[in-house]
Amino acid sequence: MKSLSRRSILSLAGTSATMLALPVARATPAAVTVYTAGPAGLARQLASGFQKRTGMEVKLFQATTGQVMARLAAEKANPQADVLISASWDTAVDLAAQGELLAHTSPNATQVPAPLKHSHYVAQGAAALAIVWNPKSGKPRPQDWSDLATPEYRNLVTMPDPATSGSAYGLLSGLLASDAYGWPFFERLKANGLVIAGANAQALNPVMQGAKAAVFGAVDYISLGAQAQGEQIEVIYPRSGTVLEARPAMILKSARQVEGARQFIDYLLTDEAQGLVATTYMLPARQDIAARRPGWKDVPLLPEQSGGPSRAETLARFKATMGSRG
Amino acid sequence: MAWIGVLTAIALLVVVALPLAFVVLQAVFPDLAAGSMTGAFKPVVDALDDDSLPGLLGNTLGLGLSVCAGSLALALPLAALRAFTRLPWAAFWDLLFLIPFMLPPYIGAFAWALTLQPNGYLAQATGLYGASLLFSRAGVAAVMVLHLFPVAYFAISRTLAALGPRQAEAARVCGAGPLRRALRVTLPMSLPAIAGSMLLVFALSIEEYGTPAALGKPIEFLVLVTSIEERLAEWPIDLPGAAVLSLVLLALAALAFLAQHRVATRRDYTSVTGKAAAPTPAPLGPWRLPALALFAATGLVAVVVPVGAVLATAFSETLSGGLAWSNMGLRHFRAVLAPDSGALQALGNSLMLACGAAVTTGVLGGLAAFVTVRRHAQGPAAGLLDALATLPNALPGMVVAVGMILAWNREAWGITVYNTPWILLLAYTCLLLPYPVRNVSASLRQISSGLDDAARVCGATPAMLLRRVVLPLVWPSLLVSMLMVFAIATRELVASVMLAPSGFDTVATYVFNQFIQGSPGTGMALSVFAIFSSTALLIALYTGARRRGSIAV
């Protein structure tokens, strides 16, 4: 049974590969419109790789997740996008629940771990949330989240705003669900002078320059990239665990180029495209593609949570807890 | 003459009123984007019932008024010196004060943070730092004054220069001393320009996102525009809530507009009547050095410090390496110049769009000012045109962008500008139209309409009147405002991000992307290219314009 299904998947993959390899058959080279969050360089490379393979042009709109979502919302009267790649898993879950997505199971998704795929969306890659520490700060190397609530780190820690950064929200809800942390821990962080900065880069820049000593919950791939460029920072995965934030790719129900959109999602999970994802220091969604960073087994994770209070409730309480200045 | 009014009105309706109308509709009908009219007025009630609204309003008003006060205090002495005295290197100072415009607010604020925070550039150079000064309400206002004061400087100095010395001479003959002449004659005569430029500064400061977001957010100083952006950028997106808050912002600007309108139309400010009166700037004498010191100090704080921080970051191999010779290098410039980076293409796009925006706003804004001030449109119609040409200033770029998408992304149009670079030109025209309108209206109020009548009696057609009489007289104001439009358009970010067609980058969207991906150095390197190339272009335009006309610009 198992081998049969594997064979059928292989044959499916084979068929799709043949289809991908025959761009000539296409009468009019249609264009797929892709709205994507994430690195611009990666988006451009994926677009040109896809065009080489299929002959189909990719119309690209690349911005932050918030800007991509705002453009989608404003375009509702006359939708333009076929494929959406978001940096926040929640957006895919919500859009699927609202019936805004088309089901598509990619034959290339077999090596994607189960939590990172769904009938209507699949991860392109993932990043972990980490502590980013400036070794020149003269402060002891933090081992765990709680080290950043100690007096040594008083007024020296930044955190990306969970309201703007989907991944920081993932960490927040993960830590709240954990018995060791919860709201009292965030109250301690606040009392210790934690500053909530806007997006990831806004939290990271003061740490790179040395105005602050550490980021609480930075998306790791940006910092790993900065480190590779020679920035003297260290990315630390806390002992008690962190969360992985996957980047979902999905086809919108309003897509005009459905076939092209399916092919694009399939392309995202090819060896070539997953290899491109790896060059950004993200974790490729397929476990069989080598990552250029600590991989699936090297990052300790917080226990899986289910249920819990709504996003709006959590964010409102977070604002109230971290907002009032003493 | 009527056809000029009608054409201008149609253009304003398409460029400004159409997107604005869709913002209003979006505020009223929450599901408008999906084509549904259900649930009318729910977002209005919800947004106005929010308990954070009074605080946001108070912060916004406080910030706007303090930026106005600060800009006026800084710009008035500079403008008076520039207009009335033989200031050495006048053209140099003008160009220098255009540079703060070319620095996007989020980069300016970031540059200040890099300079003043602990272990920042100032601390690395001198051991001093001023983070608590910068990350405060006063710090937010001060950084905004430093890049908005040129609006007041240019408007006021051009109007004062156009005033000419005759009224003040008359007052002198009647025995008024210098102080009395300034307070009773010159100052009141320049009120329209002061009021007009304060209106622009107020609207710009309540609309600006970059500075409050970068410096205000860490201290929880929130204003309306940061709240609007949150609604548009946080999942789930709240288009209707953002539209309602934008209308609140617009209402604030409308109040400011009414106040300005009262000042500008209460009296007759005519000073240019056709009698020759060459402006005779006074020699500075012993005040030469102090005057130059004032200009130099302003230039140092408003231009040299932030641009210096941008340069330092662009030339540093790493941010963590700090200011050290071993850390200097061209890595970021190589990244920008790499053939597949697309950075230079983005620069070309921005420069071209900025030139286009300067020309379209110049023509449309100049005509709108002429039609309203000269009453070729009557009564409420004139007021409406004037308001239409001014209010976009208070609309956050993001909201104009949403209005544009709602208006132009419709299948019903058949062919549409949406998803082409033309929509960016349209958006820039809408956002930047107020500069020429305010500047040219202020100078037209000083020019006697007797000159128009004289031209008409001599048989001039309306086109000849505009070209041979009105245009030469308002040219200094018009040119300076077009240069401002150019400078701002080269760096407009928020509307550009939302409206850029696929695969089309501008400098601002490119730089912003580098920022969010954690490579500020590369972003700064392209900013350096952008600042220097737009400055070079400005110098070329400016000297060209000075040579062509014999008018002092």
Side-chain angles (χ1 to χ4, degrees):
Chain A
M1 192 61 195
K2 201 170 181 191
S3 69
L4 184 73
S5 74
R6 185 171 293 160
R7 193 175 300 153
S8 66
I9 286 166
L10 274 177
S11 71
L12 257 177
T15 327
S16 68
T18 337
M19 273 165 55
L20 293 177
L22 290 173
V24 224
R26 204 153 281 277
T28 44
V32 191
T33 306
V34 177
Y35 283 18
T36 170
L42 175 65
R44 275 201 298 269
Q45 286 173 321
L46 289 173
S48 72
F50 179 71
Q51 186 166 11
K52 255 183 227 139
R53 253 190 209 219
T54 63
M56 250 186 287
E57 198 197 328
V58 177
K59 287 191 181 164
L60 211 54
F61 171 60
Q62 183 272 328
T64 64
T65 300
Q67 286 158 344
V68 167
M69 291 303 173
R71 183 148 162 174
L72 278 180
E75 284 179 348
K76 262 204 164 155
N78 186 18
Q80 305 282 333
D82 300 316
V83 173
L84 167 66
I85 304 173
S86 150
S88 163
W89 196 251
D90 281 358
T91 51
V93 176
D94 289 1
L95 285 173
Q98 291 161 18
E100 301 276 352
L101 302 182
L102 275 187
H104 175 63
T105 306
S106 171
N108 301 346
T110 43
Q111 287 290 332
V112 177
L116 297 190
K117 57 187 173 189
H118 174 269
S119 58
H120 289 67
Y121 44 90
V122 60
Q124 174 199 28
L129 284 136
I131 294 175
V132 173
W133 174 63
N134 185 333
K136 289 202 292 188
S137 62
K139 301 289 159 193
R141 186 180 187 278
Q143 309 280 330
D144 209 343
W145 300 117
S146 52
D147 292 345
L148 300 183
T150 56
E152 264 169 313
Y153 277 92
R154 189 164 175 75
N155 294 330
L156 288 175
V157 183
T158 62
M159 177 182 177
D161 187 352
T164 349
S165 157
S167 46
Y169 174 77
L171 176 64
L172 173 66
S173 52
L175 289 175
L176 287 178
S178 144
D179 295 334
Y181 297 101
W183 286 113
F185 176 61
F186 282 92
E187 280 156 21
R188 268 170 55 212
L189 281 172
K190 175 65 196 169
N192 207 31
L194 174 90
V195 168
I196 306 295
N200 273 289
Q202 265 172 300
L204 182 59
N205 286 328
V207 173
M208 290 204 288
Q209 208 190 19
K212 301 277 176 183
V215 188
F216 182 100
V219 174
D220 61 355
Y221 82 92
I222 292 179
S223 304
L224 290 167
Q227 202 180 27
Q229 299 283 353
E231 292 291 352
Q232 294 168 41
I233 48 175
E234 208 175 307
V235 179
I236 298 165
Y237 300 101
R239 257 196 232 132
S240 57
T242 182
V243 296
L244 273 176
E245 187 66 26
R247 303 173 158 251
M250 61 209 101
I251 303 173
L252 293 160
K253 202 171 194 177
S254 53
R256 291 171 199 196
Q257 291 292 335
V258 176
E259 193 38 47
R262 289 182 195 279
Q263 290 187 34
F264 190 82
I265 300 278
D266 294 348
Y267 172 71
L268 287 180
L269 297 171
T270 57
D271 294 4
E272 174 185 304
Q274 288 285 297
L276 289 174
V277 169
T279 60
T280 64
Y281 301 96
M282 271 189 244
L283 209 48
R286 270 173 53 185
Q287 285 178 308
D288 59 335
I289 301 289
R292 302 192 178 187
R293 45 159 291 151
W296 294 104
K297 297 193 176 60
D298 311 315
V299 178
L301 293 183
L302 286 164
E304 280 294 315
Q305 20 135 12
S306 56
S310 78
R311 181 185 154 90
E313 266 173 73
T314 309
L315 286 179
R317 178 141 184 214
F318 182 79
K319 229 173 212 172
T321 309
M322 310 309 271
S324 50
R325 315 209 99 218
Chain B
M1 209 32 62
W3 60 271
I4 294 184
V6 172
L7 278 185
T8 312
I10 292 174
L12 282 179
L13 285 176
V14 173
V15 175
V16 181
L18 189 67
L20 194 62
F22 273 92
V23 173
V24 174
L25 284 173
Q26 176 68 78
V28 176
F29 303 107
D31 295 320
L32 179 76
S36 159
M37 294 287 189
T38 52
F41 290 103
K42 188 170 176 308
V44 181
V45 176
D46 286 353
L48 297 185
D49 201 29
D50 197 326
D51 3 311
S52 62
L53 189 61
L56 289 175
L57 259 178
N59 284 349
T60 304
L61 257 180
L63 182 66
L65 293 176
S66 40
V67 173
C68 277
S71 301
L72 189 62
L74 188 59
L76 198 56
L78 294 171
L81 283 168
R82 171 72 176 85
F84 294 137
T85 69
R86 251 180 244 142
L87 182 76
W89 313 317
F92 167 75
W93 300 119
D94 281 1
L95 280 169
L96 191 70
F97 292 161
L98 273 172
I99 293 180
F101 273 139
M102 284 181 275
L103 215 54
Y106 70 94
I107 291 197
F110 182 50
W112 276 104
L114 286 173
T115 308
L116 288 185
Q117 69 194 2
N119 205 28
Y121 293 134
L122 183 70
Q124 291 174 32
T126 65
L128 299 170
Y129 63 87
S132 53
L133 283 178
L134 184 64
F135 291 96
S136 68
R137 286 170 182 237
V140 174
V143 168
M144 285 169 82
V145 165
L146 287 177
H147 71 251
L148 291 178
F149 87 91
V151 177
Y153 166 79
F154 285 111
I156 299 172
S157 64
R158 291 311 178 273
T159 324
L160 288 178
L163 270 183
R166 279 185 306 112
Q167 277 81 358
E169 287 292 306
R172 193 173 64 90
V173 170
C174 297
L179 187 65
R180 200 145 160 225
R181 287 206 297 276
L183 287 182
R184 298 294 299 276
V185 179
T186 313
L187 192 65
M189 291 296 286
S190 55
L191 267 183
I194 293 179
S197 63
M198 284 301 104
L199 172 65
L200 283 183
V201 171
F202 181 79
L204 279 171
S205 58
I206 63 175
E207 176 269 343
E208 185 176 308
Y209 173 67
T211 312
L215 303 180
K217 194 138 194 208
I219 54 160
E220 289 139 38
F221 174 63
L222 293 178
V223 289
L224 274 171
V225 68
T226 37
S227 176
I228 292 172
E229 297 277 341
E230 273 174 12
R231 282 162 195 260
L232 284 174
E234 288 175 13
W235 180 255
I237 304 295
D238 180 13
L239 281 185
V244 175
L245 287 189
S246 302
L247 294 180
V248 173
L249 208 56
L250 206 59
L252 276 183
L255 286 178
F257 174 78
L258 287 178
Q260 180 268 160
H261 196 70
R262 271 187 70 107
V263 174
T265 54
R266 200 173 42 180
R267 298 193 223 168
D268 178 13
Y269 294 98
T270 309
S271 63
V272 179
T273 52
K275 293 197 189 79
T280 46
L284 275 163
W287 292 100
R288 197 181 133 97
L289 269 184
L292 281 179
L294 181 66
F295 273 79
T298 310
L300 179 74
V301 181
V303 182
V304 177
V305 171
V307 173
V310 169
L311 283 170
T313 314
F315 281 102
S316 296
E317 294 283 287
T318 62
L319 198 54
S320 50
L323 292 176
W325 284 115
S326 59
N327 190 34
M328 296 289 120
L330 296 173
R331 172 163 81 85
H332 299 303
F333 289 93
R334 277 197 299 274
V336 163
L337 291 173
D340 59 340
S341 77
L344 292 184
Q345 211 172 357
L347 182 59
N349 288 342
S350 275
L351 292 180
M352 218 145 65
L353 276 171
C355 283
V359 172
T360 46
T361 54
V363 172
L364 186 55
L367 286 176
F370 175 72
V371 169
T372 48
V373 174
R374 282 295 183 264
R375 315 223 169 259
H376 293 303
Q378 295 297 321
L384 192 69
L385 280 185
D386 200 11
L388 267 184
T390 309
L391 292 183
N393 221 294
L395 278 175
M398 189 91 170
V399 173
V400 170
V402 168
M404 291 260 172
I405 296 179
L406 290 174
W408 292 108
N409 181 34
R410 310 232 151 229
E411 263 171 317
W413 293 115
I415 298 175
T416 169
V417 289
Y418 190 58
N419 258 333
T420 72
W422 294 103
I423 190 128
L424 287 176
L425 185 62
L426 208 59
Y428 293 170
T429 308
C430 174
L431 285 166
L432 302 175
L433 196 57
Y435 296 83
V437 174
R438 287 274 67 80
N439 276 8
V440 175
S441 313
S443 41
L444 272 174
R445 284 191 211 285
Q446 295 179 316
I447 299 169
S448 164
S449 60
L451 291 174
D452 298 21
D453 301 335
R456 217 166 296 134
V457 169
C458 297
T461 60
M464 266 169 84
L465 162 70
L466 277 176
R467 202 164 58 82
R468 304 287 292 275
V469 180
V470 180
L471 185 61
L473 287 171
V474 298
W475 182 235
S477 294
L478 184 61
L479 177 68
V480 112
S481 57
M482 284 167 68
L483 295 182
M484 282 201 263
V485 168
F486 175 86
I488 300 174
T490 54
R491 55 92 165 149
E492 203 288 330
L493 171 68
V494 194
S496 313
V497 170
M498 287 293 288
L499 292 172
S502 57
F504 188 91
D505 258 320
T506 67
V507 169
T509 61
Y510 189 94
V511 171
F512 183 69
N513 237 310
Q514 296 297 326
F515 267 71
I516 56 175
Q517 290 306 322
S519 13
T522 310
M524 291 297 203
L526 182 60
S527 294
V528 170
F529 275 115
I531 293 167
F532 284 96
S533 57
S534 8
T535 309
L537 240 155
L538 280 181
I539 293 174
L541 289 172
Y542 188 93
T543 45
R546 271 168 75 103
R547 208 165 294 149
R548 271 178 62 101
S550 53
I551 329 133
V553 173

